[in-house]
């Protein structure tokens, strides 16, 4: 579904991504792990049209999407939940979910809100609460729910567990697994390498702007180099 070849991204003179190549196939959950500053978020931003591409190509559903804006890509089904979430704080949960459907013009929006509530019962309980008064974990759930309302073909998640309590981290990974289990193709960027690789069909390791390793989730999880560098062993 998504094929990235030789991606380079720079901020002024700083090369943040130095020729990364990876693929996400239909139905997969692909995890991209790496240390702070490795270039993972920059990669997602470039793929979703939020950061200009200096070199390389990005194909989505067999066509190059390089240079297309985020808005066009969301309409095509390439949807990211950014780090920091960005919910509409002065709107209720339900209104935030309705905003997620703003690109749609069909009659199934209310049904889809119910489906999101089935994945996130907490959002259902709080449906009339203002998003800005929710906890960090609840806002992460809301951002994921809102993204699901666009009916994504590929859902890209940037560090969904960041800054959350251990219980909420468990809950978020459970939900990522659930969303994948419901047939959504997922690309997951995480610093929590252990959890991200446990769920992954395949994974990539990024180091200093380059993809340095790839393999299926379990193989990477058991790799001594990965365990030493990213799992503190
Ligand atoms: P983290 O997990 O800490 O978010 P990351 O792997 O997602 O790390 P990026 O955020 O993509 O890494 O950052 C890659 C490099 O690009 C870092 O050296 C960072 O300082 C730099 N960088 C990121 N955003 C900008 C920016 N807006 N302007 C300048 N440099 C940036």
């Amino acid at each position: 579904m998504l094929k990235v070849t030789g991606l380079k991204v720079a901020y002024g003179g700083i090369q943040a991504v130095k020729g990364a190549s990876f693929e996400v196939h239909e139905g997969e959950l692909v995890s991209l792990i790496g240390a702070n500053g490795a270039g993972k978020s920059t990669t997602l931003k470039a793929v979703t049209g939020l950061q200009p591409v200096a070199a390389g190509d990005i194909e989505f559903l067999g066509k190059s999407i390089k240079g297309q804006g985020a808005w066009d890509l969301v309409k095509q089904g390439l949807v990211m939940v950014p780090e920091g979430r960005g919910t509409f704080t002065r709107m209720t949960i339900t209104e935030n979910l309705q905003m997620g459907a703003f690109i749609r013009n069909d009659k199934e929006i209310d049904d889809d809100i119910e489906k999101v509530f089935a994945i996130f019962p907490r959002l259902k309980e709080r449906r009339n609460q203002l998003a800005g008064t929710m906890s960090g974990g609840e806002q992460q759930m809301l951002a994921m729910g809102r993204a699901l309302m666009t009916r994504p073909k590929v859902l890209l998640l940037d560090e969904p567990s960041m800054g959350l309590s251990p219980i909420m981290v468990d809950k978020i990974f459970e939900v990522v697994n659930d969303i994948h289990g419901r047939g959504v193709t997922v690309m997951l960027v995480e610093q929590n390498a252990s959890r991200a690789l446990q769920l992954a069909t395949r994974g990539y390791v990024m180091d200093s702007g380059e993809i340095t390793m790839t393999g299926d989730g379990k193989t990477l999880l058991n790799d001594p180099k990965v365990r030493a560098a990213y799992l503190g062993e």
Side-chain angles (χ1 to χ4, degrees):
M1 285 188 120
L2 186 64
K3 184 174 180 189
V4 173
T5 320
L7 177 70
K8 293 188 182 172
V9 187
Y11 297 103
I14 302 168
Q15 284 274 333
V17 181
K18 304 170 186 162
S21 298
F22 58 91
E23 292 181 20
V24 181
H25 306 136
E26 184 165 9
E28 282 193 313
L29 191 164
V30 171
S31 292
L32 176 63
I33 63 158
N36 259 324
K40 307 178 299 297
S41 297
T42 302
T43 300
L44 283 199
K45 285 183 195 153
V47 166
T48 52
L50 295 169
Q51 189 65 44
V53 171
D57 198 15
I58 304 165
E59 281 178 39
F60 180 52
L61 305 173
K63 287 194 204 119
S64 177
I65 54 163
K66 189 164 104 171
Q68 291 191 29
W71 165 251
D72 285 321
L73 296 174
V74 168
K75 282 195 285 187
Q76 292 168 59
L78 191 61
V79 180
M80 173 162 72
V81 179
E83 215 174 347
R85 290 123 209 184
T87 56
F88 300 110
T89 53
R90 293 196 207 176
M91 290 184 174
T92 66
I93 306 298
T94 305
E95 286 164 348
N96 266 273
L97 295 176
Q98 286 163 342
M99 289 298 286
F102 73 110
I103 55 162
R104 291 170 51 185
N105 186 18
D106 58 73
K107 298 206 161 51
E108 292 166 23
I109 291 171
D110 288 343
D111 290 349
D112 280 6
I113 289 182
E114 288 306 320
K115 283 186 194 153
V116 168
F117 283 157
I119 300 172
F120 304 101
R122 180 77 64 96
L123 297 183
K124 185 171 186 173
E125 281 166 27
R126 311 273 171 116
R127 64 202 322 168
N128 297 318
Q129 187 172 327
L130 293 181
T133 64
M134 307 258 290
S135 75
E138 290 165 347
Q139 292 202 32
Q140 179 63 45
M141 292 179 191
L142 179 56
M144 287 161 75
R146 192 180 56 188
L148 288 173
M149 289 300 297
T150 65
R151 292 195 166 178
K153 293 197 173 78
V154 178
L155 183 65
L156 303 125
L157 302 171
D158 194 1
E159 305 227 12
S161 78
M162 194 174 68
L164 302 182
S165 66
I167 289 172
M168 203 42 101
V169 169
D170 285 349
K171 181 76 201 152
I172 289 295
F173 281 107
E174 231 174 73
V175 161
V176 171
N177 198 32
D178 184 14
I179 289 171
H180 176 234
R182 288 168 192 253
V184 180
T185 304
V186 178
M187 178 157 182
L188 174 63
V189 160
E190 262 297 336
Q191 276 194 53
N192 190 330
S194 161
R195 303 298 292 271
L197 291 175
Q198 274 165 25
L199 296 187
T201 1
R202 283 188 312 113
Y204 292 92
V205 178
M206 189 166 222
D207 184 14
S208 307
E210 293 177 84
I211 302 284
T212 52
M213 290 176 81
T214 181
D216 65 65
K218 299 275 176 316
T219 307
L220 285 180
L221 193 57
N222 292 320
D223 187 285
K225 279 186 287 205
V226 172
R227 298 195 77 82
Y230 303 104
L231 301 173
E233 288 182 7

